[in-house]
Structures are given as C-alpha cells and as structure tokens.
Amino acid sequence: MAKGFGRRNIEEVKTEEVKIWECTSETCNCWVRDNFKSSEKPLCPICNTEMKENIKELQVVNNSSIFSTK
C-alpha cells in the first residue's frame, strides 16, 4: 500500500476486462455486468431496449456471496 496525502493508506484498485451488456438505444447509456444480468439476453433495466454484449475494463467486484445458498 502506498501512503498518500494526510498519511492515509491508499489501496491499489484492481481492474480486469469484464463482459458487460450495453443498451442499444442511442439515448440511453445504461450497461450491466454479465454476472448481474437478469436473463440470458437481458433488456435494458432503464428503457427496456435490447442490450448487446461488450467488454469493459472495470474494477474487480466479487458478487459470489449474493447467489450462494447455505
């Protein structure tokens, strides 16, 4: 960890290429991570338009605990 202004610890942000779904509407800029999508071929949660697959460099998020069953 690096020390920044005010001697606070600054953690390095880890990123990776992630599959996402982007809204195809020209007036909407909504996108959703693939592992957060609601169906195999999702519709935009904002405008209900079809979405297309893409890749985006994003911060690493672990959401496995959301779907785990105990």
Side-chain angles (χ1 to χ4, degrees):
M1 279 191 267
K3 296 273 185 177
F5 181 75
R7 298 186 185 263
R8 293 186 213 187
N9 290 337
I10 301 171
E11 292 187 36
E12 183 180 333
V13 176
K14 295 179 183 174
T15 62
E16 66 182 0
E17 285 191 348
V18 176
K19 181 177 165 183
I20 64 164
W21 290 83
E22 292 180 313
C23 183
T24 57
S25 170
E26 290 186 21
T27 59
C28 182
N29 62 358
C30 182
W31 59 269
V32 178
R33 290 175 185 256
D34 183 64
N35 59 345
F36 284 98
K37 70 183 180 192
S38 57
S39 63
E40 281 301 308
K41 186 105 171 143
L43 294 177
C44 177
I46 305 298
C47 69
N48 215 32
T49 303
E50 287 186 21
M51 299 184 89
K52 66 178 179 178
E53 293 180 52
N54 203 348
I55 301 291
K56 193 171 199 155
E57 184 80 18
L58 298 172
Q59 183 174 349
V60 175
V61 172
N62 183 355
N63 72 331
S64 60
S65 64
I66 294 171
F67 299 107
S68 65
T69 56
K70 292 184 178 183

